[in-house]
Amino acid sequence: RAKAEGRSTWRFFEREMDAELQARRAMEIDLRAALDRGELELFYQPFVDVARQRMSGFEALMRWRHPTKGFVSPAEFIPVAEECGLIHAMGAWALETACGQAAEWPEDLAVSVNLSPVQFKKPGLADDVERALVASGLAPQRLQLEVTESLLLQDSASVIATLNGFRDRGVGISMDDFGTGYSSLGYLNRFPFDKIKIDQSFVRTIEANESRAIIRAVIGLSRALDITVIGEGVETREQRDALVSEGCTEMQGYYFSKPRPANELAQVLIEFERRHEVAGGLEPDRA
Ligand code: C2E
Ligand code: MG
Ligand code: MG
Ligand code: MG
């Protein structure tokens, strides 16, 4: 009986696996078509310099406007794209689109583009970046590339060479989601970062002593290494104030603005300035 039960459990498991695999395959086919049909879009979320009371740039966040399912989250489709290799074409598209759109913005605004570690596994990433810069005419100093800690576990000689190439070109490099991966403080001076983004899981719990101690340590270290710290996922005035009191003045989060479509960015900037004038300090975003 136990054997029979085991067998049926296994069958059930097999069916589940099949269903999941098929769903992935289906999404892969859809995603390939999505890129060709122009269903991918970049939304933008500002990062704010609270000390200077200005928006200093926008991070490009990919959106998939699916014809029947509505918006599909990047958390769902990026892993599929990474697995089937589509991430290379999608990544090149994101670089080209983000640089092209940013070239239309006021010149004091930067644009930040997320890179998957998978994009570093194939030669051609540096060419993609170069092509995006040349085609758009965007000053390289206005482009920031975001990588995560998992990248640093890959073949480090080639990763370092690629990152150094970006830096030599004048492009900035941010470490995204800092503190969630295999954080090694040694990474911070072995790789040419100019920004660290403290993961939102720390910001969300900044009231807790442990999170605050970690944030404080990261800020102290970054200052010594001349790296700018950005607090991610700021949702409340309390979180903003706590970061400021720790000496972190660059921030991003729903408190300031959610990611918005490219054609709404002028409005985002206007609203930001208006909230300043009214409040003499920043009120939460109500959009
Ligand atoms: P990320 O780069 O760390 O981006 C931050 C994520 O947190 C975004 O989710 C953003 O919408 C969300 N967020 C920002 N502020 C807040 C806040 O105050 N509260 C909360 N709860 N969330 C906030 P999104 O847009 O769903 O993107 C998820 C992840 O997908 C990104 O994390 C990034 O790793 C990846 N991703 C997005 N676009 C791209 C892309 O073009 N290429 C690659 N390779 N990855 C991308
Ligand atoms: Mg990011
Ligand atoms: Mg992040
Ligand atoms: Mg993230």
Side-chain angles (χ1 to χ4, degrees):
R1 216 186 131 227
K3 206 170 173 186
E5 248 173 41
R7 206 175 297 136
S8 76
T9 308
W10 173 244
R11 271 207 206 99
F12 172 73
F13 182 64
E14 251 185 340
R15 267 204 305 273
E16 288 272 285
M17 288 287 286
D18 270 359
E20 203 183 305
L21 229 94
Q22 276 170 23
R24 261 184 178 247
R25 281 290 303 156
M27 184 183 270
E28 198 180 307
I29 292 165
D30 262 18
L31 201 49
R32 214 172 280 277
L35 188 60
D36 297 334
R37 286 196 212 117
E39 290 167 17
L40 296 181
E41 194 176 324
L42 294 179
F43 272 35
Y44 291 92
Q45 185 183 34
F47 31 97
V48 173
D49 182 339
V50 173
R52 295 202 195 119
Q53 306 204 344
R54 56 179 287 265
M55 290 190 166
S56 35
F58 290 88
E59 175 176 5
L61 294 160
M62 214 184 275
R63 296 290 180 262
W64 177 9
R65 208 187 278 271
H66 193 281
T68 55
K69 290 187 231 165
F71 279 112
V72 183
S73 156
E76 247 178 274
F77 69 78
I78 296 282
V80 174
E82 289 176 334
E83 204 178 75
C84 70
L86 257 180
I87 192 71
H88 299 286
M90 284 167 56
W93 171 84
L95 282 163
E96 205 180 309
T97 306
C99 290
Q101 291 178 330
E104 311 284 315
W105 304 344
E107 279 175 17
D108 58 347
L109 291 172
V111 67
S112 188
V113 178
N114 291 283
L115 297 181
S116 154
V118 175
Q119 291 175 264
F120 286 78
K121 287 191 175 159
K122 223 168 104 176
L125 176 58
D127 291 340
D128 292 343
V129 171
E130 190 56 33
R131 204 171 305 118
L133 286 172
V134 171
S136 62
L138 187 79
Q141 291 72 21
R142 292 178 60 197
L143 176 62
Q144 194 77 24
L145 300 172
E146 300 196 5
V147 302
T148 51
E149 290 162 288
S150 62
L151 172 68
L152 312 180
L153 302 173
Q154 280 179 30
D155 170 23
S156 63
S158 102
V159 168
I160 291 178
T162 306
L163 293 178
N164 281 338
F166 294 148
R167 190 200 43 197
D168 294 345
R169 184 73 172 86
V171 172
I173 301 157
S174 305
M175 179 182 268
D176 202 358
D177 303 342
F178 188 71
T180 54
Y182 294 83
S183 310
S184 158
L185 298 179
Y187 288 155
L188 294 183
N189 59 25
R190 209 144 49 82
F191 296 88
F193 294 111
D194 28 53
K195 286 188 186 180
I196 294 176
K197 303 182 78 172
I198 300 184
D199 190 66
Q200 50 189 66
S201 57
F202 298 101
V203 174
R204 199 176 305 131
T205 55
I206 196 166
E207 309 291 342
N209 285 333
E210 308 84 56
S211 293
R212 203 165 176 127
I214 290 170
I215 289 174
R216 186 171 300 165
V218 172
I219 291 170
L221 188 70
S222 306
R223 202 170 273 154
L225 295 171
D226 201 22
I227 297 173
T228 304
V229 175
I230 301 190
E232 285 194 276
V234 177
E235 292 185 353
T236 67
R237 173 181 282 267
E238 288 71 28
Q239 290 164 353
R240 182 199 71 169
D241 291 347
L243 281 171
V244 169
S245 76
E246 293 301 335
C248 172
T249 54
E250 289 251 359
M251 299 177 206
Q252 206 175 3
Y254 294 170
Y255 179 76
F256 303 100
S257 170
K258 288 198 170 166
R260 303 262 291 264
N263 62 5
E264 292 178 16
L265 298 188
Q267 192 58 33
V268 170
L269 286 164
I270 290 168
E271 281 164 19
F272 182 82
E273 303 208 331
R274 186 173 305 143
R275 275 185 285 143
H276 260 297
E277 279 165 20
V278 172
L282 198 58
E283 288 298 310
D285 179 32
R286 278 177 242 282

